[in-house]
Amino acid sequence: MSEQMEHFRQQVYYWVSKIPKGKVTSYGAIAKLSGFPRHARHVSKALGSAPNRKKLPWQRVIGADGKIAFNSDSDHFAIQQSLLEKEGVKVIKGKVDLKLYAWKHPLEGDKKTSSQNSGIQAEDFFR
DNA sequence: GGGGTGACTGCAG
DNA sequence: CCTGCAGCCACCC
């Protein structure tokens, strides 16, 4: 039983590692990609206990509304904001403009909203 | 077994 | 744009 959770966690790490630098996605999106649609909360938990946390671009996973999920006065919040800005993602009042930085992941197909994926790096995309 | 707890979400107001 | 709230679900007392 817990074997499935293990699989889930691995899927989470896999997909998070696929988020291109300079882009962000939501906990819910990762949950969906991992095969467990309603488990956004568990994605955060998986990230928090990730053994290779230092290696994963966990900062690229934020709330569905574009907001950093940590309490704005916490250290975690500051660190995440710092990491994101370091790779070019602007954080205004704790949130990211999804119009500019949302990762167009696999399951989204192509909604012809290609408005601004101009410089998407083909190499970072789809491995 | 029962109740509280989030690094969540979507929708109402 | 922001706040509130019900739904969600594995985990931890």
Side-chain angles (χ1 to χ4, degrees):
Chain A
M1 195 246 228
S2 171
E3 198 172 297
Q4 276 237 309
M5 267 307 294
E6 197 47 46
H7 179 245
F8 169 67
R9 295 173 48 125
Q10 292 196 37
Q11 286 296 300
V12 168
Y13 303 148
Y14 172 81
W15 287 113
V16 170
S17 74
K18 293 299 176 196
I19 306 172
K21 181 181 177 186
K23 290 291 176 180
V24 299
T25 192
S26 69
Y27 297 91
I30 291 296
K32 195 169 178 182
L33 284 168
S34 301
F36 294 76
R38 282 167 252 135
H39 298 231
R41 286 188 125 124
H42 298 294
V43 170
S44 63
K45 195 194 257 185
L47 291 181
S49 60
N52 51 336
R53 186 154 86 219
K54 299 279 190 244
K55 269 310 207 181
L56 280 180
W58 60 270
Q59 72 276 20
R60 297 176 193 154
V61 184
I62 59 183
D65 56 358
K67 294 210 304 188
I68 286 179
F70 290 110
N71 197 315
S72 62
D73 54 6
S74 68
D75 293 1
H76 288 316
F77 180 97
I79 293 172
Q80 182 166 26
Q81 172 166 344
S82 167
L83 286 171
L84 284 173
E85 300 197 313
K86 199 181 305 181
E87 54 182 63
V89 178
K90 286 178 198 161
V91 182
I92 318 283
K93 293 187 176 179
K95 59 187 174 186
V96 167
D97 185 341
L98 295 177
K99 287 279 203 273
L100 300 177
Y101 310 107
W103 173 41
K104 201 162 168 298
H105 57 75
L107 291 188
E108 282 193 307
D110 38 62
K111 296 184 175 183
K112 67 177 174 231
T113 311
S114 57
S115 54
Q116 124 105 33
N117 15 3
S118 48
I120 300 281
Q121 25 333 36
E123 43 250 64
D124 292 327
F125 221 75
F126 292 163
R127 63 167 251 160

